[in-house]
Amino acid sequence: DGGITQSPKYLFRKEGQNVTLSCEQNLNHDAMYWYRQDPGQGLRLIYYSQIVNDFQKGDIAEGYSVSREKKESFPLTVTSAQKNPTAFYLCASRPLSGQGSGNTIYFGEGSWLTVV
Amino acid sequence: SQQGEEDPQALSIQEGENATMNCSYKTSINNLQWYRQNSGRGLVHLILIRSNEREKHSGRLRVTLDTSKKSSSLLITASRAADTASYFCATALRNFQGAQKLVFGQGTRLTINP
C-alpha cells in the first residue's frame, strides 16, 4: 500500500544523545515535512524539503537536522542541542501542484520521543 | 504566534447536533485546509478551500472562507461519536524562494457525547 512510514513509533533518548527518526514515503511526492506537536498543542514546522538535496528551516529548526539524499526518505535527527525534545513528531509529504491532489499534505502516523 | 488560530479550543456537544469551529489567520493565503487528528495519530486531510472560493461542501462537512476577515469556519452536521477528534486549520504560505509550506493552528478538540 502507498503511504508514509515513520519509525520507530516510540523512542526513548538519554540526555546528551542524538537520535534519528525515519520517514519513508512511496507516494512519489516531491515535498516532505517534519512537524513537532506537544501535548494538546498544534503543529510546528521543523524542516521541509521541496526537492532532493535541498531543504529549508521551518519555525523551530534549532537542535534538529535533516537530510534529503533520496526522494523517498527524509530522516530527522534530534541532536543534544535540542533541550526539550520530548514530543510527538509527524512527517508529511505532498505532491507538487500539477500532480495528484496538489496542495493536500499526507501524514505519517507519528513518532513519540521521550527523554529519560 | 501561529498563523492560524482556531476557536473554540475545545467543544463538547451531543450526538446529532451540529459542530462549528472557526479559524482566523493573519497573512494572505493561497488556500486553507482543514485536517482531523484522532488522539495519538497522524492528521488526515478533510477539505481544501481556495482563496477565490467562499464555500465548499463535502458530505457532512461545510467550509466557508471570508478573505476580507481572514477567517474560515468548519461545520460538521449531524455529529456522530466517531467525529470526536481534534480539528486543525492550515494555511498555505509561499516564501520568497517560492517554496510552499503549511502552517497549522492550535486546533479545536471536539468531543461528541453519545
Side-chain angles (χ1 to χ4, degrees), chain B residues 43-70:
Chain B
L43 278 71
V44 176
H45 178 260
L46 293 176
I47 194 166
L48 178 152
I49 187 165
R50 302 189 188 284
S51 58
N52 62 352
E53 296 176 314
R54 292 295 168 261
E55 187 171 313
K56 203 161 183 179
H57 297 256
S58 177
R60 294 184 295 114
L61 305 180
R62 173 179 169 249
V63 169
T64 63
L65 179 64
D66 187 335
T67 53
S68 66
K69 296 181 179 178
K70 291 187 169 57

Side-chain angles (χ1 to χ4, degrees), chain A residues 21-76:
Chain A
L21 305 179
S22 170
C23 179
E24 302 280 331
Q25 54 99 359
N26 60 5
L27 301 168
N28 198 33
H29 288 174
D30 287 280
M32 297 187 74
Y33 306 80
W34 274 106
Y35 289 90
R36 169 180 172 145
Q37 186 178 32
D38 291 283
Q41 301 296 313
L43 280 67
R44 292 185 289 170
L45 183 63
I46 305 172
Y47 269 98
Y48 61 111
S49 168
Q50 300 254 117
I51 57 173
V52 174
N53 292 324
D54 184 58
F55 48 82
Q56 299 184 44
K57 293 182 178 180
D59 301 316
I60 56 165
E62 185 175 353
Y64 300 96
S65 66
V66 293
S67 63
R68 188 83 188 278
E69 297 176 1
K70 298 186 299 181
K71 187 176 182 179
E72 314 82 63
S73 179
F74 192 42
L76 173 74

Side-chain angles (χ1 to χ4, degrees), chain B residues 3 7 12-14 28 41 43 45-46 55 61 72 74 77 81 86 90 100-101 103 112:
Chain B
Q3 158 75 335
D7 169 57
S12 181
I13 61 174
Q14 293 300 121
S28 295
R41 306 293 297 275
L43 278 71
H45 178 260
L46 293 176
E55 187 171 313
L61 305 180
S72 174
L74 171 67
T77 61
S86 291
Q100 186 177 116
K101 62 177 184 178
V103 179
I112 308 299

